[in-house]
Amino acid sequence: MATTAADVRRDLARLADPRRAEQVSRFLQMQPGGYGEGDRAIGVTVPDQRRVAGRYWRDLSLTDTAALLRSDVHEERLTALLVLVRKFARGSEPERDEIFDLVLANTDRIDNWDLVDSSAPYIVGPWLLDKDRSVLDRLAGSRLVWERRIAVMATFAFVRAGDFDWTFRLAERLLRDPHDLVHKAVGWMLREVGNRDRAAAEAFLGRHHRAMPRVMLRYAIEKFEPERRRAYLSGTV
């Protein structure tokens, strides 16, 4: 019998924990006024979701995976993305194209930082490595905070390949973004650049650190020596 979205939902429901669901709802700000408002958690741990994804990713069709991605249950959407990451890593070029298109068509359902961070660096970025990257400019200009975070987090794939240009390009564009979840993503990617090429990271920081939101700067310099961090934070660099 073919694996369906119903099989994944059943396994996740068996692993659900109402007390954990309350904790997840608070952590991902699903309450009214939070950035995850309107979402619903059932309380399945991420390791358990990875195990469910590992059990079904080969046999679950993209149609059924897309159905899970459109679910109103947070864990069903994250599990769908974990399935897509596995399919993408092992897929043919046409399959990878289809998965990339599916993700881009459903960015409104990739609507919390854990969903973005579990997919953008492993699908969006890798697909764009050898292609036109202008879609990232469109995402970075979106009114949706999650699309702006997708754009930044996708550059992780470029950073791993030693290509920092798009991280710097988007970081400069998003210096004055209104949302701290974008500030954190930009700072994180700048930190990853610094882990690989400290001089390149510091050249960028030298031009822009005074204009950076504090949380962005803190993330970017987190791995620097204490004295160097203090110099950036005090503006005495």
Side-chain angles (χ1 to χ4, degrees):
M1 188 187 309
T3 298
T4 68
D7 296 311
V8 177
R9 290 191 176 104
R10 180 200 62 228
D11 282 14
L12 291 174
R14 287 173 177 167
L15 295 163
D17 181 335
R19 285 179 297 181
R20 187 179 295 115
E22 292 178 8
Q23 296 168 355
V24 171
S25 295
R26 289 193 297 271
F27 183 59
L28 296 176
Q29 296 195 25
M30 297 178 184
Q31 72 277 10
Y35 53 69
E37 180 177 2
D39 203 353
R40 179 165 69 95
I42 59 174
V44 183
T45 67
V46 174
D48 278 342
Q49 291 177 71
R50 291 191 185 280
R51 281 188 280 273
V52 172
R55 188 177 306 138
Y56 291 119
W57 73 269
R58 288 182 180 85
D59 299 324
L60 194 67
S61 71
L62 281 184
T63 298
D64 279 271
T65 308
L68 290 170
L69 187 54
R70 291 190 286 269
S71 169
D72 66 345
V73 175
H74 187 89
E75 289 89 343
E76 291 182 7
R77 299 202 303 285
L78 179 52
T79 301
L81 290 167
L82 296 173
V83 166
L84 290 173
V85 167
R86 285 180 178 248
K87 285 181 176 292
F88 184 89
R90 297 160 178 82
S92 65
E93 195 63 24
E95 288 167 338
R96 287 159 65 96
D97 292 349
E98 193 172 358
I99 290 166
F100 174 84
D101 289 342
L102 175 62
V103 168
L104 265 289
N106 287 278
T107 53
D108 62 323
R109 308 306 298 146
I110 306 173
D111 55 356
N112 214 309
W113 60 262
D114 61 327
L115 303 176
V116 172
D117 298 358
S118 296
S119 56
Y122 310 107
I123 296 174
V124 180
W127 190 86
L128 291 170
L129 273 172
D130 59 354
K131 298 178 180 67
D132 174 50
R133 301 174 183 177
S134 58
V135 65
L136 297 182
D137 279 327
R138 178 179 67 78
L139 292 170
S142 171
R143 64 179 181 80
L144 294 177
V145 61
W146 310 117
E147 290 195 337
R148 302 197 302 278
R149 186 165 174 123
I150 286 169
V152 176
M153 291 305 300
T155 71
F156 204 170
F158 312 155
V159 171
R160 289 194 193 102
D163 178 356
F164 312 137
D165 289 350
W166 273 84
T167 299
F168 292 149
R169 174 178 176 148
L170 296 182
E172 189 169 22
R173 177 173 182 175
L174 296 168
L175 278 178
R176 293 172 179 81
D177 192 274
H179 208 294
D180 71 337
L181 288 174
V182 174
H183 303 167
K184 291 174 180 178
V186 170
W188 178 5
M189 290 304 100
L190 291 173
R191 183 178 71 220
E192 292 297 334
V193 172
N195 288 343
R196 293 158 176 82
D197 189 333
R198 177 71 171 266
E202 291 222 48
F204 182 88
L205 291 170
R207 295 191 299 273
H208 299 294
H209 73 277
R210 288 183 177 83
M212 283 184 176
R214 202 69 165 176
V215 69
M216 184 187 295
L217 179 59
R218 286 187 180 279
Y219 269 59
I221 63 176
E222 184 179 8
K223 298 294 181 65
F224 288 9
E225 302 79 10
E227 202 169 298
R228 192 65 172 160
R229 289 202 306 271
R230 285 193 293 271
Y232 273 107
L233 292 169
S234 65
T236 59
V237 174

